[in-house]
Amino acid sequence: MTQAAGTERDPEAVSKFVESFAAQLVEAGMQRMPARIFAALLSSDDGAMSSAELGDQLQVSPAAVSGAVRYLAQQHMVSREREPGSRRERYRVHSNQWYEALTNREAVIKRWESALREGVASLGADTPAGRRMAETLAFFEFVDGEIAAMMERWRVHRERVFGQD
C-alpha cells in the first residue's frame, strides 16, 4: 500500500476501513469488487495502485481487478495511466472523483429526459400514463437543474476550502 514517507499505518486498520467503506458502497448499489477496489484506491496516499498492488492488498485475482477497474472507469470514478517506461497500468482515483461521477450522471439524466419527452408525446399528455410520464419528466428536469446549481456551489466551496488544483 502506498503511503507518505515517515507515516506509519496499521495495515489491519486500513483493511478494516476498506472493507467497511466498500460494504457501504455495496449497500448503495455498487457491485462488491468495484466497491473494494475503489475504497482501496481512495485510501492510498497517492490515490493510485497497480493491478498487482490491488490484488495483493485485497487478495483477489488480476481478472477480478481488471473487471472492477473497467466498471469504475466507465462510471468515471477511476482513470487508467501507464507507468512511465512500462506497459503496466496504474489505476487512479482523483480528488474530484465524486464531481466527475455526478457529472456523468447528469448526462444520463439528460438522456432520460429526452426519452421521457418521447414517452409523453407517444402516450398523450392527457392520458393517465402520459401524465405519469410528464410528472417523471418534470422530476428529472428539476433534479437536473438542482444538480447543475449544486455543482457550481461545490466548485466555489471546494476552491475556498482546498484552494485551486
Side-chain angles (χ1 to χ4, degrees), residues 102-124:
L102 196 51
T103 299
N104 182 51
R105 293 290 181 253
E106 194 175 11
V108 170
I109 289 172
K110 291 279 190 204
R111 288 194 306 269
W112 290 351
E113 288 174 5
S114 178
L116 288 165
R117 276 188 202 87
E118 287 180 29
V120 171
S122 298
L123 297 167

Side-chain angles (χ1 to χ4, degrees), residues 67-135:
V69 168
R70 184 174 31 262
Y71 170 83
L72 291 167
Q74 289 170 345
Q75 302 303 311
H76 303 277
M77 295 180 75
V78 302
S79 61
R80 297 170 190 246
E81 47 190 52
R82 291 271 183 211
E83 290 182 1
S86 170
R87 292 186 349 184
R88 290 179 53 189
E89 287 186 328
R90 291 182 63 75
Y91 309 111
R92 177 172 301 281
V93 64
H94 297 278
S95 60
N96 64 348
Q97 78 277 349
W98 297 112
Y99 178 89
E100 292 296 325
L102 196 51
T103 299
N104 182 51
R105 293 290 181 253
E106 194 175 11
V108 170
I109 289 172
K110 291 279 190 204
R111 288 194 306 269
W112 290 351
E113 288 174 5
S114 178
L116 288 165
R117 276 188 202 87
E118 287 180 29
V120 171
S122 298
L123 297 167
D126 295 331
T127 66
R131 282 192 298 277
R132 189 170 47 253
M133 193 78 54
E135 184 176 343

